[in-house]
Amino acid sequence: MSSKEDIKLFISEAEDLIQKTEDEIIKLEQNPQNKKPIQELYFTFHTLKGLTAMAGFDNLSKFCHHFESFLDKAKDQEVSTSKKADVIEILFESLDIFKTILKRVKAGDLSDLDNKFVEN
């Protein structure tokens, strides 16, 4: 498991990345035709994937990888406005999962994301 310093770094970086993720989802929600938020979200999930792996949250890292792959495909494709609404909802749900885990980590609970979220 990670050291206390690693966990402090994880919390600090995760808070910043979660805020950036939320900002980009809102931008996408406000202008679904704009592809830039999807590109930014791709990079954010890529960074979160590495950060969570560094902190020893392997399942959370896999969860990020799934979103990173999804966003990588979505950033180059034309998606209908109705489908983007579904994507936005899923992104907000993933953000809620991150916020919940971050809250647990801040409280000293270093348990990883449940396997059911990353099973194929």
Side-chain angles (χ1 to χ4, degrees):
M1 189 39 78
S2 301
S3 69
K4 286 184 180 184
E5 293 77 26
D6 287 342
I7 295 302
K8 284 182 184 179
L9 177 63
F10 169 78
I11 291 169
S12 173
E13 293 292 318
E15 286 176 329
D16 291 344
L17 290 166
I18 286 171
Q19 184 60 56
K20 180 170 176 50
T21 301
E22 187 168 18
D23 293 344
E24 294 301 326
I25 296 170
I26 291 169
K27 287 178 189 175
L28 183 61
E29 186 175 43
Q30 291 171 343
N31 184 0
Q33 303 311 316
N34 186 358
K35 291 185 177 186
K36 186 165 173 41
I38 291 176
Q39 293 170 337
E40 292 298 321
L41 285 164
Y42 166 79
F43 291 119
T44 302
F45 274 96
H46 176 76
T47 305
L48 279 166
K49 179 181 73 174
L51 179 66
T52 54
M54 182 264 327
F57 298 105
D58 295 333
N59 284 345
L60 191 54
S61 183
K62 289 176 190 173
F63 183 77
C64 291
H65 179 71
H66 289 304
F67 275 95
E68 177 190 25
S69 296
F70 169 75
L71 290 163
D72 188 35
K73 291 175 188 170
K75 70 182 179 179
D76 296 323
Q77 295 179 355
E78 193 62 39
V79 179
S80 69
T81 303
S82 63
K83 292 278 188 207
K84 281 206 176 156
D86 292 340
V87 168
I88 290 166
E89 183 178 338
I90 291 168
L91 289 168
F92 274 126
E93 288 172 3
S94 73
L95 190 62
D96 288 343
I97 290 169
F98 265 98
K99 288 179 178 179
T100 299
I101 290 178
L102 185 59
K103 185 177 179 180
R104 286 191 337 214
V105 170
K106 285 179 165 182
D109 178 358
L110 302 181
S111 57
D112 201 355
L113 183 65
D114 191 292
N115 283 335
K116 71 180 178 183
F117 289 104
V118 293
E119 291 174 349
N120 289 329

